[in-house]
Each structure stands twice: as structure tokens, then as C-alpha cells.
């Protein structure tokens, strides 16, 4: 069974079930019996962009129950987690085909709903911190995370604390609930993004921050530039601004992160392949250096729960990740 999500003209979301046979793996494919899946804003964007609808779900964890003829990295029965690709159906189904080269073993002793909250946002956070900023364990500096309580923000804060011990993390949040969430996951300082950021940030980092990672940058480029030290860096993980001219007087750099750029099974370009990122995330999770960002859990995958979960993430202002348990 698979669930098809579609946003019809007028903005109404529909989710309908479709019976499907268990898929047959080819090449490096795994057949994963899905235990839990995460829901993200990209799912709604795809449902609105595809007239026939899509099977959503780019965060998943489950058990390997089938393998293609060239798949050998995992055994039947192994638990894996992954973020999938744009050119295949998502994980809102009982059995999911995924290329093994995008997968890693799930963290030992982690519940499925906790694991399913990790892949997409942790890959995004890793690419921002380590692929784009190229920060290493010896890096010293100050990071501003705009949107500190969302899925990406929670991942960035945790990953920075776990892998960059000399970096101070300032997170933005506008409500008591989101401020408490960002602090819970390790932010050193909290500033209010409902007000001008620069005066608040400059009280903490008088010379400006070394880098900004922004999940809410549209319309903020002037304010972000005012927070930044000369020769600093901004990494946009959202649609971002159109004009970054305010960064020119600082000789600053704007970077983009789009997680699906490297969602290619045989990726051999710049940066770390997804499977390697997830393997390192699993290792950090097993040591207790990372905690699950999962906050809202729906108990059973169905048309009703998927519609409710998509509606929740579409409302914005989310805290943590939204996950659906298969059964």
C-alpha cells in the first residue's frame, strides 16, 4: 500500500491510498519494510508541483527485506535509515525501494520514530557546516543559526556542538516554546528573530559572527549582513534572497545547501556522500552526542495521519520534527 498526496487548485490537500505489490529490487536496490517516516515541507511542495500527486516521505527507517543482484552492503534483517531521492517515490508506503548507496545502518538501540527524524536534516546540517563552511574540529568562531527550533536548526545546533567544540552557537527563536527547544539541544545563546537581529547578536559577538546558517532568510539579507563579521559566510538552506548585494562591503560569501544535489547513489563530486554522513551521524547518536529531534509522532501510517502531518508541517513555525509510525 502507498499513499498519494496531492495539492489541488485552491490549496486543498488530498491523500488517497493505492494498493501496490511489494516492489522488485534491481541493481543496488534494497526493499525496506518501512517502520517510520519523517514529514518535511518539501513533501508539500512536491505534492503541489505534480498534478498526479506524489508518494511523500524523504526520511525513513526500516528493515531490509529484499536486495537487488548488485546490493551487498547490508544483510536481510538489517535496520537502515536514509533520505531518498527526488526521482523516486517517497517512504509513505509499506515497502520502499532505495539504493543501498544512500543508506547507513540505523543507530543501535534507537526507536524507529526517533531515527526517522534524523536523515534529511542531519545531512543538510552536515553539508552546511562541513561541506560549505569547511569547518573542522579545530575551528574557533561564532555561528548564528536562524530558525533554531526547526528540524534543520535542531540538527545544526547539535552537530555543531558534537563536532565543533570551539564554536559558539547563537540560535534564533521567537516564542518561549521554540527558545526552550533550541536551548535544550545545545544553543549557547538565544536571540529573537521577530525583532532586528543585529543589535541582539552584536551584544553577544561585538565583532560579528563568523557564519550564519539560515532556514528563514528571505527578506532578511540586510539584517543578516549586519550580524556578520568581514569575510564571513552565510549558508542558505531555504529559498533565500534574490539580491545578496548587502554582503559585498563585507567581502562576505553566500552559499546554498540543497540536500538533493548529492542525493545520487554513485556521487563522487565535492563533499561527503550521504551514506558516509549518515554513518557518522549514527555513530554520534550511539554515543549520546546527538538526540532525536522528533517531537510530533502520529501512531499509524494512513491517509488521515499523513494528511494531518503534512498540514502540521505546512503551517510553519514548527518545533522539531514530525514523524509517522508505520503501525
Amino acid at each position: 500500500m502507498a499513499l498519494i498526496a496531492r495539492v489541488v487548485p485552491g490549496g486543498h490537500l488530498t491523500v488517497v491510498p493505492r494498493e501496490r505489490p511489494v516492489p522488485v529490487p534491481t541493481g543496488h536496490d534494497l526493499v525496506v519494510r518501512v517502520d517510520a517516516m519523517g514529514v518535511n515541507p518539501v513533501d508539500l511542495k512536491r505534492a503541489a508541483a505534480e498534478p498526479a500527486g506524489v508518494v511523500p516521505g524523504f526520511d525513513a527507517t526500516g528493515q531490509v527485506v529484499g536486495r537487488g543482484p548488485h546490493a551487498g552492503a547490508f544483510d536481510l534483517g538489517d535496520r537502515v535509515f536514509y533520505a531518498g531521492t527526488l526521482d523516486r517515490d517517497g517512504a509513505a508506503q509499506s515497502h520502499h525501494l532505495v539504493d543501498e548507496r544512500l543508506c547507513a545502518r540505523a543507530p543501535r538501540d534507537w526507536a524507529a520514530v526517533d531515527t526517522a527524524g534524523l536523515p534529511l536534516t542531519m545531512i543538510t546540517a552536515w553539508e552546511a557546516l562541513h561541506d560549505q563552511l569547511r569547518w573542522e574540529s579545530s575551528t574557533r568562531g561564532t555561528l548564528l543559526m536562524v530558525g533554531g527550533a526547526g528540524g534543520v536548526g535542531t540538527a545544526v545546533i547539535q552537530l555543531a556542538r558534537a563536532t565543533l567544540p570551539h564554536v559558539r552557537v547563537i540560535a534564533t527563536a521567537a516564542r518561549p516554546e521554540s527558545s526552550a527547544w533550541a536551548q535544550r539541544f545545545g544553543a549557547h545563546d538565544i536571540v529573537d528573530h521577530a525583532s532586528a537581529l543585529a543589535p541582539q547578536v552584536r551584544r553577544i559577538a561585538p565583532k560579528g559572527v563568523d557564519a550564519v546558517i539560515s532556514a528563514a532568510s528571505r527578506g532578511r539579507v540586510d539584517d543578516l549582513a549586519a550580524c556578520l563579521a568581514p569575510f564571513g559566510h552565510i549558508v542558505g538552506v531555504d529559498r533565500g534572497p534574490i539580491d545578496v548585494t548587502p554582503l559585498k562591503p563585507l567581502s562576505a560569501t553566500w552559499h546554498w545547501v540543497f540536500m538533493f544535489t548529492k542525493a545520487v547513489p554513485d556521487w563522487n563530486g565535492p563533499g561527503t556522500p550521504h551514506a558516509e554522513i549518515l554513518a557518522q551521524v549514527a555513530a554520534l547518536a550511539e554515543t549520546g552526542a546527538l538526540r532525536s529531534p522528533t517531537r510530533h509522532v502520529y501512531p499509524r501510517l494512513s491517509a488521515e495521519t499523513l494528511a494531518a502531518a503534512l498540514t502540521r508541517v505546512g503551517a510553519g513555525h514548527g518545533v522539531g520534527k514530525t514523524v509517522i509510525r508505520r503501525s
Side-chain angles (χ1 to χ4, degrees):
M1 186 270 290
L3 299 175
I4 313 296
R6 178 171 173 253
V7 178
V8 300
H12 179 65
L13 170 70
T14 65
V15 179
V16 295
R18 296 275 173 81
E19 289 299 326
R20 289 184 175 179
V22 174
V24 177
T26 61
H28 289 272
D29 282 342
L30 303 177
V31 180
V32 177
R33 188 179 64 206
V34 177
D35 292 328
M37 58 162 282
V39 178
N40 296 283
V42 67
D43 292 313
L44 273 175
K45 294 174 185 175
R46 291 188 71 231
E50 296 291 338
V54 296
V55 179
F58 288 105
D59 288 309
T61 186
Q63 188 176 52
V64 177
V65 296
R67 301 187 301 176
H70 302 302
F74 303 97
D75 295 324
L76 297 180
D78 282 349
R79 292 179 59 245
V80 296
F81 72 136
Y82 54 91
T85 66
L86 286 172
D87 60 355
R88 302 185 88 164
D89 286 343
Q93 51 189 309
S94 58
H95 292 79
H96 189 211
L97 273 183
V98 61
D99 192 292
E100 66 173 359
R101 293 168 292 183
L102 296 172
C103 301
R105 284 180 173 80
R108 289 189 301 271
D109 301 323
W110 271 48
V113 292
D114 292 331
T115 303
L118 292 175
L120 188 150
T121 54
M122 279 294 171
I123 291 171
T124 300
W126 187 283
E127 292 181 349
L129 291 168
H130 298 298
D131 289 354
Q132 295 289 17
L133 294 179
R134 300 186 182 182
W135 283 3
E136 301 175 347
S137 59
S138 60
T139 298
R140 296 181 179 273
T142 304
L143 171 70
L144 174 64
M145 178 64 230
V146 179
V152 171
T154 304
V156 166
I157 292 167
Q158 289 200 86
L159 198 58
R161 293 300 306 269
T163 63
L164 301 166
H166 308 296
V167 170
R168 183 171 184 173
V169 181
I170 305 169
T172 79
R175 295 173 292 143
E177 177 188 23
S178 52
S179 295
W181 184 264
Q183 285 183 310
R184 174 185 173 190
F185 284 91
H188 295 94
D189 306 281
I190 304 292
V191 294
D192 183 359
H193 58 230
S195 304
L197 287 174
Q200 302 174 75
V201 170
R202 292 281 178 168
R203 283 194 289 270
I204 300 166
K207 296 182 180 180
V209 298
D210 299 286
V212 177
I213 299 175
S214 179
S217 49
R218 182 172 290 275
R220 295 182 182 272
V221 66
D222 288 288
D223 202 13
L224 297 182
C227 296
L228 199 62
F231 299 96
H233 298 260
I234 300 179
V235 183
V237 301
D238 62 343
R239 293 190 176 187
I242 296 172
D243 182 4
V244 295
T245 303
L247 300 184
K248 185 174 181 180
L250 297 167
S251 297
T253 304
W254 184 281
H255 308 267
W256 294 108
V257 165
F258 182 60
M259 191 218 72
F260 296 106
T261 301
K262 290 195 304 179
V264 179
D266 55 354
W267 177 261
N268 60 4
T272 311
H274 284 187
E276 292 183 24
I277 293 173
L278 291 176
Q280 296 189 63
V281 166
L284 290 168
E286 289 170 359
T287 67
L290 299 178
R291 291 186 292 172
S292 175
T294 298
R295 180 174 174 85
H296 304 287
V297 177
Y298 289 84
R300 184 178 61 84
L301 181 61
S302 67
E304 292 74 23
T305 57
L306 180 57
L310 289 169
T311 300
R312 176 184 288 278
V313 300
H317 309 293
V319 174
K321 287 295 296 287
T322 296
V323 169
I324 306 174
R325 184 185 293 116
R326 183 175 64 88
S327 59

